[in-house]
């Protein structure tokens, strides 16, 4: 048990509850398959979903070590920077965000929020951004002792500990666990925590995601080999943040049927994949599937 810093404990206590919502659908009941959505989108409107899970222990580490500034990186629509800026403000920590690309003349809503919450934005070229990616768990060069580095997407080994708490909260047994993948950090945390008889599947939100297999293995502890997992690459819909009319229609239809909002970048592709696999006979009769709703609805604003 890691003792939580009082400021982090207070932030955690202010969060909502992630429930397990059963999805009722004739496509499922015909096959006697049960499906639940683990509603991490209900944790917080901004530090939503897996971003809280991934940030929890790194933020605690920063507080315990007495850092006063959090430093990280992301794209101009980054849910990670958005959650980090808000969490930093809530915890009384300064934040610095390296943002990929030139500073735009007009800020989108994500960037507007970041600067409003006091994040210092440093726009960097794509080349420099790639170089920053090399700083994983190791501290970034040129940081002073009061600054705390978090890699892109919060992809650190310490992030896995918070993600594993998702599995610990699950009140039911299940055969399948599905999650959307960006950096694969959330997937890695679920793999490390899932029961052995459970198959953990990541659905890549980006094109050419083969490299994620290596990244996930790197994040998982070296002394244990996990085999009960896979990353499916067939549901990127053209690439990261790309969408199609079919996907948009699916997201609308899902809301109409279940009153649960998805976004097309991650969770829309994830649920589309699960229902497509269902239609193709991928699941066995009687199986129980849990799909993680990782939140991220802010990124869908335009
Ligand atoms: C960031 C994000 C992901 C990707 O998480 P990784 O741990 O980077 O794979 C998935 N879903 C949503 C909604 C996100 O915001």
């Amino acid at each position: 048990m890691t003792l939580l810093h009082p400021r982090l404990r207070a932030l955690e206590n202010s969060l909502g509850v992630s429930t397990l919502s059963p999805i009722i659908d004739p496509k499922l009941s015909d096959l006697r398959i049960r499906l639940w959505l683990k509603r991490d989108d209900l944790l917080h409107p901004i530090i939503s979903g897996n971003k809280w899970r991934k940030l929890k222990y790194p933020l605690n580490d920063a507080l315990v070590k007495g850092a006063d500034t959090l430093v990280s990186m992301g794209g101009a629509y980054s849910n990670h920077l958005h959650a980090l800026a808000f969490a930093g403000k809530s915890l009384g920590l300064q934040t610095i965000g390296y943002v990929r690309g030139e500073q735009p003349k007009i800020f989108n809503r994500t960037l507007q929020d970041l600067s409003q919450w006091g994040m210092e934005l440093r726009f960097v070229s794509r080349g420099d951004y790639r170089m920053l990616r090399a700083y994983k768990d190791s501290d970034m060069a040129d940081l002073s002792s009061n600054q705390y580095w978090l890699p892109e997407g919060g992809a650190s080994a310490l992030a896995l500990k918070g993600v594993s708490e998702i599995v610990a909260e699950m009140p039911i047994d299940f055969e399948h666990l599905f999650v959307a993948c960006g950096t694969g950090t959330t997937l890695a945390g679920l793999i490390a925590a899932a029961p052995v008889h459970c198959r953990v599947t990541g659905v890549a939100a980006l094109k050419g995601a083969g490299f994620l297999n290596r990244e996930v293995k790197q994040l998982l502890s070296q002394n244990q080999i996990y085999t009960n997992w896979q990353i499916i690459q067939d549901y990127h819909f053209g690439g990261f943040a790309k969408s199609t009319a079919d996907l948009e229609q699916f997201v609308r239809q899902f809301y109409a049927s279940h009153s649960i909002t998805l976004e097309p970048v991650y969770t829309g592709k994830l649920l589309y994949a699960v229902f497509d696999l269902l239609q193709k006979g991928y699941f066995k009769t009687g199986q129980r599937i849990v799909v993680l709703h990782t939140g991220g609805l802010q990124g869908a604003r335009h």
Side-chain angles (χ1 to χ4, degrees), residues 56-301:
K56 180 177 171 184
Y57 288 98
L59 289 177
N60 193 55
D61 193 39
L63 287 169
V64 169
K65 288 182 172 152
D68 63 18
T69 306
L70 306 165
V71 188
S72 193
M73 60 190 290
Y77 292 89
S78 169
N79 289 337
H80 163 69
L81 285 185
H82 200 247
L84 185 72
F86 192 88
K89 186 173 138 72
S90 312
L91 295 167
L93 298 169
Q94 310 279 323
T95 53
I96 298 173
Y98 286 92
V99 182
R100 182 177 45 213
E102 259 175 58
Q103 174 161 354
K105 287 203 180 62
I106 297 163
F107 276 14
N108 66 34
R109 293 179 70 177
T110 306
L111 294 174
Q112 281 174 28
D113 286 346
L114 297 183
S115 53
Q116 203 193 317
W117 297 332
M119 180 175 263
E120 181 189 327
L121 300 178
R122 296 180 181 168
F123 292 88
V124 290
S125 70
R126 277 156 197 279
D128 287 350
Y129 191 86
R130 265 196 299 278
M131 274 162 47
L132 285 172
R133 276 191 174 141
Y135 302 109
K136 303 256 180 198
D137 272 339
S138 67
D139 273 353
M140 186 198 156
D142 309 328
L143 282 194
S144 43
S145 61
N146 60 322
Q147 297 182 321
Y148 191 93
W149 170 250
L150 295 103
E152 185 182 37
S156 70
L158 206 49
L160 271 52
K161 189 173 159 62
V163 173
S164 72
E165 293 176 352
I166 297 171
V167 178
E169 284 170 15
M170 228 75 96
I172 56 157
D173 204 8
F174 46 91
E175 286 76 33
H176 285 280
L177 181 54
F178 276 77
V179 66
C181 286
T183 63
T185 313
T186 309
L187 174 65
L190 295 178
I191 294 166
V196 281
H197 63 268
C198 170
R199 185 149 186 84
V200 187
T201 302
V203 175
L206 49 141
K207 199 159 137 180
F211 71 95
L212 278 182
N213 285 293
R214 194 180 60 240
E215 305 261 319
V216 168
K217 278 181 204 147
Q218 247 159 34
L219 282 163
L220 287 164
S221 98
Q222 311 297 322
N223 46 24
Q224 201 172 341
I225 298 186
Y226 300 91
T227 52
N228 60 328
W229 64 280
Q230 63 181 336
I231 296 174
I232 298 185
Q233 295 190 48
D234 309 330
Y235 298 95
H236 58 69
F237 292 86
F240 187 67
K242 299 265 164 52
S243 185
T244 65
D246 198 22
L247 178 61
E248 305 279 346
Q249 162 71 16
F250 175 83
V251 167
R252 273 196 302 275
Q253 186 59 48
F254 195 86
Y255 183 78
S257 307
H258 308 293
S259 304
I260 294 174
T261 308
L262 306 173
E263 40 69 48
V265 181
Y266 293 107
T267 52
K269 291 177 184 179
L270 170 67
L271 267 306
Y272 189 105
V274 170
F275 276 91
D276 195 49
L277 290 171
L278 180 75
Q279 213 120 40
K280 290 177 173 157
Y282 179 79
F283 301 107
K284 295 195 181 77
T285 304
Q287 281 191 324
R288 293 158 295 182
I289 309 163
V290 173
V291 180
L292 180 62
H293 193 318
T294 40
L297 299 169
Q298 79 86 19
R301 303 174 303 174

